[in-house]
C-alpha cells in the first residue's frame, strides 16, 4: 500500500513538472524577439542640413558657423536620390554673386542620383555607404530679353555645366538616432565643354531619418 502511495506521488510530481515546462515554453514563444540588423535599414526619407565648405583660411574665434541649407534626401536599396539638389552655392561659386540669382532661377529644381553599396561595421551599430557618383549636369536656357524699343534682342546661348562629383569618404548611417552623414566634393567643372578653374568645394550633409 505504501509503495502505491509513493508511486502516485511520483506520477503527480512528473505531471506537475510537465505542466511547468509547457507554461515556460509558451511564455518564451510569446516574448517579442529583437529584430536583427539589416542593410536595408538605411532605406528611407531623410531631412537635415547641407554645409558648403570652401578651402578658405581657418575661421577666427567667435565667428558664427553658417546655418546651412535645408535638404531632403531619399535612399532606396541602391541609390541616393536628391529630388532638389541644392545647387545655389555651386552656381554662385561658378558665376559669381551678381549673375547667380538669374541663373539659379533659370535652372530650377535639379534632380540628382548616385549609386551606393552598404556594409556593416564590426559591431553592427552602423552602416557604411560607399558611393559611386556620376557627373552633375546643369542645362541652362536663358530667357530671351527684349530691347528698349520692344524688339527682341539677341538670344543668349544655352549654357551646359558639367560638374565632376566625387565622394572623399564613405557615408555613415548610425542606428543611434537614425543619423546619416555624407560628404560630396566638386573636383572639376566644365562650361560648354571648357574646363573652368574652381577651388575644390565640399558639401557636408548631416541628416536624420524621418520615415
Amino acid at each position: 500500500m505504501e509503495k502505491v502511495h509513493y508511486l502516485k506521488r511520483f506520477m503527480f510530481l512528473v505531471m506537475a513538472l510537465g505542466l511547468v515546462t509547457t507554461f515556460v515554453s509558451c511564455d518564451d514563444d510569446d516574448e517579442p524577439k529583437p529584430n536583427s540588423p539589416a542593410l536595408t535599414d538605411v532605406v528611407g526619407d531623410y531631412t537635415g542640413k547641407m554645409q558648403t565648405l570652401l578651402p578658405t583660411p581657418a575661421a577666427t574665434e567667435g565667428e558664427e558657423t553658417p546655418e546651412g541649407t535645408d535638404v531632403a534626401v531619399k535612399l532606396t536599396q541602391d541609390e541616393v536620390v536628391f529630388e532638389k539638389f541644392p545647387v545655389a552655392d555651386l552656381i554662385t561659386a561658378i558665376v559669381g554673386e551678381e549673375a547667380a540669382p538669374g541663373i539659379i532661377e533659370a535652372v530650377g529644381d535639379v534632380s540628382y542620383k548616385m549609386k551606393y553599396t552598404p556594409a556593416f561595421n564590426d559591431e553592427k551599430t552602423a552602416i557604411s555607404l560607399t558611393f559611386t557618383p556620376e557627373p552633375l549636369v546643369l542645362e541652362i536656357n536663358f530667357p530671351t530679353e527684349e530691347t528698349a524699343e520692344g524688339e527682341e534682342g539677341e538670344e543668349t546661348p544655352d549654357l551646359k555645366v558639367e560638374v565632376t562629383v566625387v565622394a572623399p569618404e564613405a557615408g555613415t548611417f548610425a542606428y543611434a538616432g537614425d543619423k546619416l552623414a555624407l560628404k560630396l566634393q566638386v573636383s572639376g567643372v566644365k562650361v560648354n565643354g571648357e574646363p573652368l578653374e574652381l577651388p575644390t568645394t565640399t558639401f557636408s550633409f548631416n541628416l536624420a531619418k524621418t520615415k
Side-chain angles (χ1 to χ4, degrees), residues 1-196:
M1 191 70 179
E2 189 175 350
K3 290 183 178 180
V4 174
H5 179 69
Y6 281 120
L7 181 59
K8 287 182 178 180
R9 290 180 61 185
F10 176 74
M11 292 182 66
F12 177 77
L13 180 61
V14 171
M15 292 175 64
L17 288 174
L19 289 172
V20 170
T21 304
T22 301
F23 288 139
V24 171
S25 298
C26 290
D27 289 343
D28 289 343
D29 291 340
D30 292 339
E31 287 183 3
K33 294 179 175 60
N35 293 326
S36 299
L39 292 176
T40 53
D41 291 338
V42 74
V43 174
D45 296 338
Y46 296 79
T47 59
K49 295 287 186 178
M50 183 200 76
Q51 297 283 350
T52 303
L53 309 174
L54 295 170
T56 55
T60 58
E61 187 176 350
E63 184 176 343
E64 293 184 2
T65 303
E67 291 185 1
T69 303
D70 291 328
V71 64
V73 179
K74 178 188 288 290
L75 265 68
T76 67
Q77 292 190 6
D78 62 352
E79 281 188 327
V80 181
V81 181
F82 296 86
E83 294 296 342
K84 297 180 181 180
F85 192 86
V87 295
D89 290 347
L90 176 61
I91 292 174
T92 302
I94 294 173
V95 302
E97 292 186 0
E98 186 174 345
I103 295 179
I104 292 169
E105 183 179 356
V107 169
D109 294 336
V110 176
S111 176
Y112 181 68
K113 300 178 181 180
M114 64 178 175
K115 297 285 186 181
Y116 75 90
T117 303
F120 281 119
N121 65 349
D122 292 339
E123 297 79 17
K124 288 194 174 182
T125 57
I127 298 174
S128 67
L129 296 88
T130 302
F131 304 112
T132 51
E134 296 289 336
L136 171 65
V137 178
L138 306 176
E139 294 184 345
I140 305 165
N141 296 314
F142 293 101
T144 302
E145 296 181 352
E146 294 184 357
T147 61
E149 291 78 14
E151 298 178 356
E152 287 191 356
E154 293 184 4
E155 184 178 356
T156 305
D158 291 344
L159 197 65
K160 182 176 181 179
V161 180
E162 184 174 336
V163 181
T164 302
V165 180
V166 298
E169 59 191 49
T172 302
F173 170 78
Y175 278 96
D178 286 344
K179 301 292 186 181
L180 177 66
L182 63 102
K183 288 183 180 180
L184 298 176
Q185 282 184 342
V186 171
S187 62
V189 176
K190 289 183 180 180
V191 178
N192 290 341
E194 295 294 325
L196 179 68

